[in-house]
Amino acid sequence: MNLDSMYREVILDHYKNPHGRGLRDGDAEAHHVSPTCGDEITLRVKLDGRLVRDVSYEGQGCSISQASASVLNTLLVGRDLAEAERIRDAFLELMRSKGRTAPGEADEELLDDAVAFAGVSKYPARVKCALLSWTAWQDATDRALAATGGQG
């Protein structure tokens, strides 16, 4: 099995067996829609101080957008906000690489299953799908922090 096939399998596995799907109680919520393809997500974040206690979501759309939300849950739940933001930044950098960053060049230790999206970065229309949940997470987190005066 070549690397591209393996990464496609990772994305399909997260799509078929999603982590974090199903809205649960949270401190803040964000709803994002991609007008170009119709993908949408409602995402809730639950913070405990500066710790990401939970990320839950409901959405509809392509396998890339839904798998990306599952990967986000896997990577960010249980992390300190600073570490979660570092992971988000690394994922954004990977998605903006336009295919110039090979999966082996990405920080696999930091990104784990998210490196499977390296091939997606070659296709601008698909990048929007992969980033949908990550921008919703940022909005929900910003709202949660604003509601608590930045204390989480």
Side-chain angles (χ1 to χ4, degrees):
M1 176 181 283
N2 70 29
L3 204 53
D4 285 340
S5 293
M6 185 174 75
Y7 286 141
R8 276 193 295 275
E9 287 299 317
V10 168
I11 290 172
L12 283 175
D13 184 53
H14 274 279
Y15 176 67
K16 292 176 182 176
N17 305 295
H19 301 237
R21 190 170 189 82
L23 290 173
R24 295 179 291 279
D25 287 339
D27 297 319
E29 177 178 295
H31 179 78
H32 282 217
V33 177
S34 175
T36 56
C37 65
D39 290 358
E40 64 180 276
I41 190 163
T42 299
L43 185 141
R44 288 184 186 155
V45 65
K46 177 88 173 154
L47 302 178
D48 184 1
R50 301 288 297 171
L51 180 75
V52 179
R53 178 62 62 204
D54 191 27
V55 176
S56 62
Y57 67 94
E58 277 297 332
Q60 61 185 15
C62 69
S63 60
I64 291 171
S65 71
Q66 299 304 294
S68 185
S70 175
V71 168
L72 179 147
N73 170 277
T74 301
L75 289 175
L76 302 188
V77 171
R79 304 280 185 150
D80 176 87
L81 272 177
E83 181 72 4
E85 289 170 359
R86 201 172 124 225
I87 293 167
R88 182 213 54 220
D89 291 347
F91 186 73
L92 291 175
E93 183 179 324
L94 180 66
M95 289 296 91
R96 292 178 182 144
S97 72
K98 297 182 180 172
R100 291 186 299 267
T101 301
E105 296 171 359
D107 189 341
E108 290 185 46
E109 189 172 315
L110 183 65
L111 291 174
D112 196 29
D113 280 354
V115 298
F117 291 87
V120 172
S121 70
K122 298 175 196 173
Y123 307 99
R126 306 313 306 197
V127 167
K128 292 176 185 177
C129 301
L131 291 178
L132 186 64
S133 60
W134 294 83
T135 56
W137 177 81
Q138 185 64 60
D139 283 354
T141 299
D142 290 346
R143 290 175 186 167
L145 290 171
T148 61
Q151 299 303 309

